[in-house]
């Protein structure tokens, strides 16, 4: 985790690497299943949501803000330090 709120992460801890490996394997399994069966399970959606949550909390990703300061959650997220 970053040391301060706006300090970018420069080192991935072993526990974080394990979580990222788990996410990678889950994503690969989902892609293989969807490709093979041409179908998707509801549990895949939960795994995708969990993976996204882990990534944005681990690496401090945030949605950008518009000129009025409103959060644009639908837009591509950015590094937290780039949110103005």
């Amino acid at each position: 985790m970053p040391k301060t709120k706006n300090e970018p992460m420069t080192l991935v801890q072993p526990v974080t690497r394990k979580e990222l490996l788990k996410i990678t394997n889950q994503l690969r399994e989902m892609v293989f299943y969807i490709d093979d069966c041409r179908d998707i399970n509801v549990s895949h959606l939960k795994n995708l949501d969990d993976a996204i949550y882990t990534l944005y909390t681990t690496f401090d990703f945030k949605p950008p803000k518009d000129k009025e300061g409103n959060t644009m959650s639908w837009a591509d997220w950015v590094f937290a330090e780039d949110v103005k």
Side-chain angles (χ1 to χ4, degrees), residues 14-29:
V15 67
T16 304
R17 286 188 73 214
K18 279 187 175 182
E19 187 63 26
L20 293 173
L21 179 59
K22 177 183 170 188
I23 289 169
T24 299
N25 288 325
Q26 287 176 336
L27 292 170
R28 292 180 73 241
E29 185 276 326

Side-chain angles (χ1 to χ4, degrees), residues 31-43:
V31 169
F32 293 152
Y33 181 90
I34 293 165
D35 186 45
D36 190 41
C37 298
R38 298 294 178 201
D39 196 8
I40 187 167
N41 290 323
V42 175
S43 63

Side-chain angles (χ1 to χ4, degrees), residues 51-69:
I52 291 168
Y53 176 81
T54 298
L55 291 171
Y56 78 72
T57 55
T58 300
F59 295 107
D60 204 17
F61 301 149
K62 303 282 184 204
K65 293 185 178 182
D66 64 17
K67 292 176 183 162
E68 289 80 37

